[in-house]
Amino acid sequence: MVLVFVDCADGVVKKQSYEVLCYGAALARQQGVAAQALVLGTVADAGTLGGLGNFGVTKVHHLEGNALQHFDAQVFAKTIADAVIGLGASVLVLSHTTTGKALAPRLSVRLGAGLVAGAVALPNTDAGFVVKKAVFSGKAFAHVSINTPIKIVSLNPNAFGISKTDNLAEVETTSPQVAAGRVVVKAVNRITGTVPLAEADLVVSGGRGLKGPENWHLVEDLAKEIGAATACSRAVADAHWRPHHEHVGQTGGAVAPNLYFAIGISGAIQHLAGVNRSKTIVVINKDPEAPFFKAADYGIVGDAFEVMPQVIAAVRKLKAGV
Amino acid sequence: MKILVCVSKTPDTTAKIAFTDGDTKFAEAGVQFIVNPYDEWYALVKALELKEAGLATQVSLITVGLADADPIIRKALAIGGDDSIRVNLDSSDSFSIATQIASVAQQGTYDLVLTGKETIDYNGSSIGGMVAELLDAPYVSLATNLVVDGKMATVTREIEGGEEVAEAALPLVVSCQKGMAEQRIPNMKGIMGARTKPLVVKDPVAVEALTSIYRFELPAAKAGVKLVSADQVEELVRLLHEEAKVI
């Protein structure tokens, strides 16, 4: 059986979890076994659990308890490991996000199970169980063989896609005995009102070519029109034109959206390392020699201050016409 | 408080990525190697800050690798740290590496183990969590701030769409990322001093790898950029809507 860990925040299923469910279901079909889901903690909407069947799992194991109300890697890892053993799962799938990065390594040790962290495709089972993953910050892939009876795969966000059916899953809710964690959360500060960068399908990003924070309306206006998150290059974050959490690149965050729209960013190799898994890259830069054009799908060689108002106007026109 | 900082040897961020031996090995010829930036800029410098603040008595560095990792550990020692350990094992399996680090951490009774958030070559983000599980210690991943007060640590970590502040008792494992500290450039005194700091080479403890690399692959080359003239901006929007179908 393939068991999929469904990550929730405040009782709401995170977007990446739907993708992991689809991946787990496809993997189960490939192996000729069942796909089931594991949800920890209370969910906000009663229909959520059965609805996970829309994404290919036939059964949902829902575990409740005070210690499971807030994420604690040690507590969650122990609970998930017990479920893997108790249910006899042969493959555990989770997302390679902040939660997955905290959980998967602990589970690997606890279960003596080989882990491929950051998978980008279904395993190849011709020669064992070989999973393709991104390495060298997206500049290459490694095909990694898992050599243990239980296998753990964490999937890179936006690497597989989401497909939906009308199927519903059977739900079984239990309340196991779970000891409290040793990391006590004191405060959670969420940045509200914007699309979180890590979850964004579309990203509009600005670089030094925009000359100063006062010109960021060119980034923000387009982002608002198309429902995108905003990002920036390292130089911009270091100059405090934009907050550090917006910095994408080798030392900032890595993103893999459907669209990465780069304005006034030259595309140094360190920046590309954070964005090269984007499906479509658009580059606006006045320097025709900017390295970013080599990594782009579409580009305009031109002054952002002249091009961007026209882009925003054209998008508004397109939206008005559809 | 004793701190163990995990450092890894990685290719320079600008290195050309290529493979040899039927795509089973990274092509090292002509490649410059560096201390993994997350280990150096954030984990190591944070440890040094804690020592400078009088909170840590000892900062030890550990790497798992063969003798070709020695220049990297000396480079890290030039930035700071009291001594270093190299476990003589060549492995690409996170569990094998974590097992060595956990063994050293246990023997040395370290209170705090710091790692970078991931290495820039394997991007597994796994070592810290594995070490914590092996030590049965709490683990805070992707941390952006760390304050130690006696036996308690307050750690800020990134979560999707925000940050979380949490407390945990030492011993503790923390993986560090941007925000934790600022990069330091080693000075001449540090570089000279690093030559004589202890570097102990240890034999690895027995461990069976859970994974192995089957082969590497380079991504398919991009088809090439489709350039739109600066006076045809509407055409770009049309392509994004009709061809790429992203807006």
Side-chain angles (χ1 to χ4, degrees):
Chain A
M1 186 259 283
V2 173
L3 188 65
V4 180
F5 171 69
V6 177
D7 186 22
C8 300
D10 302 326
V12 178
V13 174
K14 287 194 199 164
K15 190 187 130 200
Q16 284 96 348
S17 295
Y18 294 116
E19 187 178 22
V20 188
L21 284 163
C22 293
Y23 179 88
L27 201 158
R29 281 195 296 278
Q30 186 194 49
Q31 309 255 302
V33 297
Q36 301 183 356
L38 179 65
V39 180
L40 305 186
T42 305
V43 287
D45 175 7
T48 301
L49 296 172
L52 296 179
N54 292 351
F55 306 94
V57 289
T58 52
K59 186 163 182 182
V60 175
H61 303 274
H62 177 219
L63 308 184
E64 284 194 306
N66 282 339
L68 301 176
Q69 285 307 97
H70 194 92
F71 176 74
D72 179 289
Q74 208 165 10
V75 173
F76 272 44
K78 183 178 184 309
T79 308
I80 296 168
D82 289 349
V84 167
I85 301 287
L87 298 167
S90 55
V91 185
L92 174 69
V93 180
L94 24 70
S95 60
H96 192 56
T97 52
T98 55
T99 306
K101 286 173 189 173
L103 282 177
R106 295 201 89 113
L107 285 159
S108 172
V109 171
R110 193 165 263 274
L111 292 165
L115 160 68
V116 173
V120 296
L122 285 171
N124 181 339
T125 49
D126 293 345
F129 192 98
V130 180
V131 190
K132 184 174 174 179
K133 70 160 288 206
V135 290
F136 296 102
S137 306
K139 285 174 259 182
F141 299 103
H143 296 261
V144 182
S145 174
I146 303 183
N147 309 326
T148 52
I150 300 175
K151 296 158 176 74
I152 305 178
V153 180
S154 70
L155 180 70
N156 257 349
N158 214 13
F160 191 71
I162 297 173
S163 56
K164 212 174 158 182
T165 66
D166 293 330
N167 298 340
L168 292 178
E170 178 197 341
V171 179
E172 190 180 282
T173 299
T174 51
S175 304
Q177 286 290 328
V178 182
R182 288 190 273 165
V183 177
V184 182
V185 174
K186 293 287 172 189
V188 175
N189 311 316
R190 283 191 203 279
I191 301 143
T192 52
T194 54
V195 183
L197 194 50
E199 294 179 9
D201 284 329
L202 309 173
V203 175
V204 182
S205 187
R208 232 175 346 194
L210 284 173
K211 296 198 163 72
E214 66 280 8
N215 298 320
W216 236 256
H217 59 93
L218 294 173
V219 171
E220 285 169 335
D221 286 356
L222 177 62
K224 209 169 140 199
E225 285 301 326
I226 62 176
T230 54
C232 68
S233 66
R234 180 179 175 182
V236 165
D238 283 353
H240 303 291
W241 293 359
R242 300 294 294 176
H244 273 299
H245 65 80
E246 282 202 0
H247 165 204
V248 296
Q250 183 98 59
T251 53
V255 293
N258 292 333
L259 171 67
Y260 187 79
F261 197 110
I263 308 161
I265 302 175
S266 65
I269 194 159
Q270 291 89 344
H271 186 75
L272 297 183
V275 305
N276 54 16
R277 289 192 301 108
S278 308
K279 301 249 159 57
T280 299
I281 294 178
V282 178
V283 171
I284 311 289
N285 203 300
K286 67 178 178 190
D287 176 10
E289 301 299 319
F292 218 154
F293 283 115
K294 289 198 175 69
D297 300 282
Y298 301 98
I300 291 181
V301 179
D303 187 339
F305 295 95
E306 286 164 23
V307 171
M308 284 314 297
Q310 294 182 57
V311 170
I312 293 160
V315 169
R316 283 189 182 134
K317 202 167 137 192
L318 173 80
K319 282 176 66 184
V322 177
Chain B
M1 177 173 68
K2 288 170 69 183
I3 306 177
L4 184 64
V5 180
C6 308
V7 297
S8 181
K9 171 191 149 201
T10 60
D12 184 62
T13 51
T14 57
K16 181 174 162 38
I17 305 302
F19 304 101
T20 60
D21 296 27
D23 282 338
T24 57
K25 279 203 174 70
F26 175 65
E28 298 198 352
V31 170
Q32 182 157 6
F33 285 90
I34 57 169
V35 183
N36 180 47
Y38 299 110
D39 303 343
E40 179 191 318
W41 302 355
Y42 308 127
L44 174 57
V45 177
K46 186 68 206 182
L48 299 176
E49 285 177 7
L50 289 168
K51 191 173 177 204
E52 287 154 8
L55 294 163
T57 51
Q58 185 186 336
V59 174
S60 303
L61 276 50
I62 181 170
T63 196
V64 178
L66 302 181
D68 58 5
D70 287 347
I72 295 304
I73 212 157
R74 292 277 179 215
K75 189 173 175 258
L77 285 169
I79 296 163
D82 301 302
D83 54 17
S84 61
I85 300 143
R86 176 170 64 79
V87 180
N88 196 36
L89 174 71
D90 181 25
S91 177
S92 63
D93 176 54
S94 303
F95 177 72
S96 303
I97 294 165
T99 301
Q100 307 308 326
I101 295 169
S103 166
V104 169
Q106 207 147 30
Q107 284 168 17
T109 59
Y110 288 92
D111 305 283
L112 190 60
V113 179
L114 300 181
T115 73
K117 74 160 181 175
E118 63 183 50
T119 60
I120 63 168
D121 48 6
Y122 291 110
N123 307 112
S125 220
S126 300
I127 298 295
M130 287 182 172
V131 169
E133 189 67 29
L134 288 162
L135 295 174
D136 190 27
Y139 169 51
V140 180
S141 51
L142 310 178
T144 55
N145 193 26
L146 166 66
V147 178
V148 179
D149 183 7
K151 280 278 164 198
M152 289 301 289
T154 304
V155 196
T156 307
R157 77 173 187 111
E158 181 197 310
I159 57 172
E160 271 100 18
E163 58 175 37
E164 181 183 271
V165 183
E167 271 182 6
L170 304 179
L172 174 70
V173 182
V174 178
S175 84
C176 309
Q177 65 166 350
K178 190 161 188 146
M180 182 60 92
E182 293 287 336
Q183 180 183 5
R184 288 186 185 179
I185 308 297
N187 56 27
M188 190 47 75
K189 185 165 166 265
I191 294 166
M192 299 303 283
R195 291 185 192 168
T196 52
K197 285 180 183 172
L199 197 173
V200 177
V201 179
K202 284 196 170 196
D203 285 331
V205 293
V207 63
E208 202 161 324
L210 306 180
T211 62
S212 50
I213 291 183
Y214 187 70
R215 69 181 173 90
F216 291 101
E217 180 189 336
L218 290 171
K222 278 255 180 188
V225 61
K226 204 176 259 191
L227 284 178
V228 177
S229 163
D231 50 22
Q232 305 270 314
V233 171
E234 287 200 9
E235 172 64 5
L236 174 72
V237 175
R238 188 193 69 80
L239 286 167
L240 293 179
H241 180 61
E242 292 178 11
E243 191 176 81
K245 296 186 169 58
V246 287
I247 59 171

